Amino acid sequence: MDKLKLNAAVELYINNNTNELTLDFELHQGAKERFILHSAKRLKNSYDLFKLNLCGLNDVLISLRDYLLTLQVQIHIDTLDIPEENDFGLVKDLQTGKYFASYQFPKYVNHSFAEKAFLSEEFSTQVDFRGHNLHTDPLIVKITGFHQFKSIAQKLAVYGALNTPNGYTTLVSLPTGGGKSLITQTLAYQKEGLTIVIVPTVSLAIDQVRVAKGIIKSSRIDDEVFSYNSGVDPKPILKAIRNKTAKMLFISPEALINNTEFVDVIKEANSKRYLKNIVIDEAHIVIDWGASFRIDYQCLESWRKKLLLSNPNIRTILLSATFEQRCISILKDFFSSDGKKWIEIRCDSLRHEPRYMLVKSKSYSDKKRKMLDLVRKMPHPMIIYVARPDDAGEIAEYLHLNDIKNVKTFTGLTTGTRRKELIDAWVDDQFDIMVATSAFGVGVDKSDVRTVLHTYIPQNPNAYYQELGRGGRDRLPCLSIMCIYPDDLSIAFGRISKKVMTTEKIVGRWNSMYNSDCSPRKGKLNYIDTSIRPIYSSIDAFDDTPTSDADMNWNIYVLLFLRRFGLIKIHEVIPQSTKYIFVIEISEDALRMNDDHQTEVIDSFRSIELKYYQESFQTMQTAIKRSESYCWSEMFYETYDKVSEYCAGCNSHNAPNESDFVDFPLKIPVDYPFMELAQDQMALFSSTREIIIIPSEKERSVLLNELSRLRISAFISSNENNIDVWMNGMEAISNFIVLNAKDLRELVKKKSYYFFSGLIAVKYSGSTKDIYDLLKFVQSNLSTHSEIKVVHIIDENIYFDWINKAFVDLVNGPVIPVRALI
């Protein structure tokens, strides 16, 4: 990118010497180049608003500071009255008459971290090769054109999903930016049928379709890949599903559950077994959001179960970057049958982009002053997270009083229409400061957030991590700053009591619903009306949801509480106008009687729930108190038990802790289920478990295509250089994982036979010792399994002189000709 040329164009625009500023994003695919262009766009937008008196001068100066520090340029400006003494580090060079920006960071800020987040210096990120084989297979090449995966973690995640047997649920964790979208793309085109991808936001659905259409190699892509939201005409989508041309539909749970047209067409497609896969993106939201303001996420459990009754072969894929163990336990309970038909592909990894800072203030007024200074001096775009809607309004007003006016708020009280307007404007760089509660963030497609500023203490490290994770999704450095004062700890602890309803109120709400005339019983099923007011008189309210919905939300909280602990089963959730009817079955008889025993049972489980919140908050509290001597990321190691250590920097250390770079990304064994061998595969082996093929050069292409036709599950090669030759000759019939000897050993060490059971082919090449070592490893670890059949492929019958035996002498199986496969 020619920064000087870009700066000259910006300079002309800011000085009103041209009416247009053309920023060509399409030509610049690098993340840093895109960020530079967006910085110019944000400066242009703030200047335009300032001319219309729609924002303050300080809004423009913030954008100007970001722009100058990121590009490291100077600019001539005549149209802005920039004070000589200003709070933005803007300085006029008296010789050139041009402005430049100096950092002028506050003393309490880590200057090195902040400079990196402005992206003003060159930096490099480690590339995940480490001797791993990153080849795709011919079918993935045919679908996407990709010959290489981004990382071994992405490769394992993709094949973990693709290998999912019919009727199973696979939970896949893959770091943000690691390429989760390739999972849905390959899954949808792996076989004929419809894949429904449930996404949290409209913007994410739109972006996923855009990405898919740019990657998938199909001449009929516009008739195959769709996203739906309230602003989209559903007719073409419904028609494509009925005509069985639709392959992938991105949709929110609300539209999926409440839109009768989609309810009907999906039910019809499912009855014909055209529905093949259900993918839930950002699956942790089912737990985190479904318990409060995204109730339809809680409908997915019963919705899926109903579909499985007539189509038990549906595969379910749950995707996220990291999973807390409690979240996994609940998801497993929701989306598996008594823990059966459940697979976990765990490539959990902590974010590499955030640099952490804890800024401590002496008082609330000191905290506000520091917060204002951080807004002025830290890189943008910036999200300021608060606990409650009232706090968001207060901070926005405080910034407004300081002439920072182009600030928006987004909370649980923000209406649906306004939410879409805000997200669209945020993504379009129309403003760059968002003050928000936890209601904002997940799935919002803005990758270049440079600073996430917490002005409160979240209830636990998981909630905190999800919010700070909005920064640096373009995989470039960003800042996570927590600015607090002493009372924030006690205030945060006080919110824990609101998070867990008292036993008395749980009992009161349950009995109010269960015994109401509005909740009829039909056999063993109870139709619970969630709009029923409780029998007690006190008022309950969520911090971040409309007061009008409080009773329904708390009632649903009670039902989900009972469901989590196995006291009830939820068979169906029926949306009805402004309320929900939960069709439940009581599993614990104590719920039927409003007596002391019922109270004791509920109190015992409520104590478990409260203990979880108290202990997880204690983890945050400890991190805050020990921030100068212990790594900030330790709280995440405790929360996400499968991640390796990583921290780009925090109050206790400047140098990155990169321990996770040396670890194999698969965190837990995946030894189940094995792929089933079909009759045509078994026929090759008779009573043996291995065979040898010694093809001539002319027979190689025939052998490759026959192996593809026989649906091998893995192709293992000891020589990386030969893989491309072999892959180019294979037909794209089914998926199989390509491994080198190192990858094979790592997976065997992890006891993860899930990736290479069934029929596998091993191509031997290299030195005589390399061939011998790989052969003995394969025989010791693969050929001994009854669920694995091995095809040994070698160019000639190598002789091992140190044991006076040839290759064929060591294999307990025959040498067969290539024509025997045909």
Side-chain angles (χ1 to χ4, degrees), residues 414-636:
T414 307
T415 62
T417 303
R418 179 59 176 160
R419 287 185 180 205
K420 185 178 185 308
E421 291 174 355
L422 286 171
I423 290 171
D424 290 346
W426 173 246
V427 172
D428 192 41
D429 296 314
Q430 294 176 29
F431 64 99
D432 62 8
I433 301 174
M434 177 73 88
V435 187
T437 63
S438 61
F440 176 77
V442 175
V444 175
D445 177 37
K446 188 168 184 64
S447 63
D448 62 350
V449 174
R450 297 271 71 87
T451 303
V452 177
L453 173 58
H454 276 84
T455 61
Y456 82 111
I457 302 173
Q459 65 196 19
N460 55 48
N462 180 50
Y464 173 48
Y465 190 75
Q466 297 303 329
E467 291 173 6
L468 73 86
R470 300 308 99 209
R473 297 175 76 86
D474 53 7
R475 308 189 81 178
L476 300 177
C478 65
L479 300 177
S480 170
I481 306 175
M482 183 180 289
C483 181
I484 56 174
Y485 79 116
D487 286 358
D488 279 324
L489 275 170
S490 58
I491 292 170
F493 186 77
R495 283 196 298 271
I496 298 298
S497 61
K498 292 184 178 180
K499 189 71 179 178
V500 181
M501 183 169 263
T502 65
T503 300
E504 179 186 7
K505 289 188 174 182
I506 293 173
V507 168
R509 283 190 176 274
W510 163 250
N511 287 307
S512 297
M513 291 186 287
Y514 178 65
N515 295 313
S516 171
D517 292 337
C518 297
S519 297
R521 300 168 197 175
K522 298 180 181 179
K524 64 179 182 180
L525 299 180
N526 298 264
Y527 289 71
I528 302 295
D529 185 338
T530 58
S531 67
I532 293 168
R533 296 291 305 275
I535 51 179
Y536 56 79
S537 58
S538 60
I539 297 174
D540 302 311
F542 276 101
D543 271 346
D544 200 22
T545 54
T547 305
S548 59
D549 295 339
D551 274 325
M552 182 179 70
N553 286 351
W554 278 117
N555 284 338
I556 291 173
Y557 164 92
V558 168
L559 294 173
L560 296 178
F561 165 84
L562 299 175
R563 165 69 182 88
R564 278 196 299 277
F565 290 105
L567 306 183
I568 63 171
K569 297 176 182 177
I570 299 175
H571 287 272
E572 188 175 2
V573 182
I574 306 171
Q576 269 191 12
S577 185
T578 59
K579 65 182 180 181
Y580 292 80
I581 304 297
F582 275 60
V583 183
I584 70 163
E585 179 183 349
I586 294 176
S587 304
E588 169 55 63
D589 284 337
L591 294 183
R592 303 180 194 277
M593 297 296 293
N594 185 4
D595 55 17
D596 290 342
H597 178 54
Q598 182 193 82
T599 301
E600 289 171 4
V601 169
I602 289 176
D603 185 63
S604 65
F605 290 114
R606 190 259 180 188
S607 297
I608 295 172
E609 185 103 329
L610 181 61
K611 182 181 179 183
Y612 160 77
Y613 281 106
Q614 289 176 336
E615 289 181 348
S616 55
F617 177 75
Q618 182 63 45
T619 302
M620 284 226 60
Q621 187 178 41
T622 301
I624 290 168
K625 291 182 176 180
R626 303 193 309 179
S627 63
E628 300 302 323
S629 55
Y630 288 86
C631 177
W632 189 250
S633 288
E634 283 194 16
M635 73 171 102
F636 306 132

Side-chain angles (χ1 to χ4, degrees), residues 321-333:
T322 47
F323 287 100
E324 191 182 14
Q325 188 54 49
R326 175 178 179 268
C327 177
I328 288 178
S329 298
I330 298 172
L331 288 172
K332 187 174 183 178
D333 191 23

Side-chain angles (χ1 to χ4, degrees), residues 12 167 172 180 245 277 287 316 335 480 527 625 661 667:
L12 285 172
V172 181
K180 288 196 295 291
T245 61
N277 306 300
I287 312 306
T316 305
F335 296 106
S480 170
Y527 289 71
K625 291 182 176 180
F661 191 71
K667 304 303 183 184

Side-chain angles (χ1 to χ4, degrees), residues 297-316:
Y297 266 103
Q298 293 297 332
C299 303
L300 295 176
E301 177 198 7
S302 56
W303 171 79
R304 171 182 169 272
K305 283 181 177 178
K306 288 186 70 176
L307 293 174
L308 286 171
L309 292 175
S310 58
N311 185 5
N313 288 336
I314 295 173
R315 300 187 295 179
T316 305

Side-chain angles (χ1 to χ4, degrees), residues 141-195:
V141 173
K142 179 181 178 182
I143 294 169
T144 67
F146 293 159
H147 291 265
Q148 297 272 318
F149 289 102
K150 284 185 176 183
S151 65
I152 188 65
Q154 186 193 35
K155 183 172 186 173
L156 296 171
V158 168
Y159 285 107
L162 292 174
N163 290 354
T164 303
N166 290 340
Y168 274 71
T169 294
T170 298
L171 178 143
V172 181
S173 57
L174 185 65
T176 299
K180 288 196 295 291
S181 60
L182 187 61
I183 296 173
T184 58
Q185 293 156 11
T186 53
L187 200 68
Y189 280 79
Q190 184 185 24
K191 59 182 71 173
E192 290 300 315
L194 175 65
T195 296

Side-chain angles (χ1 to χ4, degrees), residues 35 45 107 177 191 236 250 276 300 312 374 505 531 575 582 664:
F35 183 74
N45 287 345
K107 292 181 180 179
K191 59 182 71 173
F250 294 90
K276 300 297 184 184
L300 295 176
L374 291 167
K505 289 188 174 182
S531 67
F582 275 60
F664 191 65

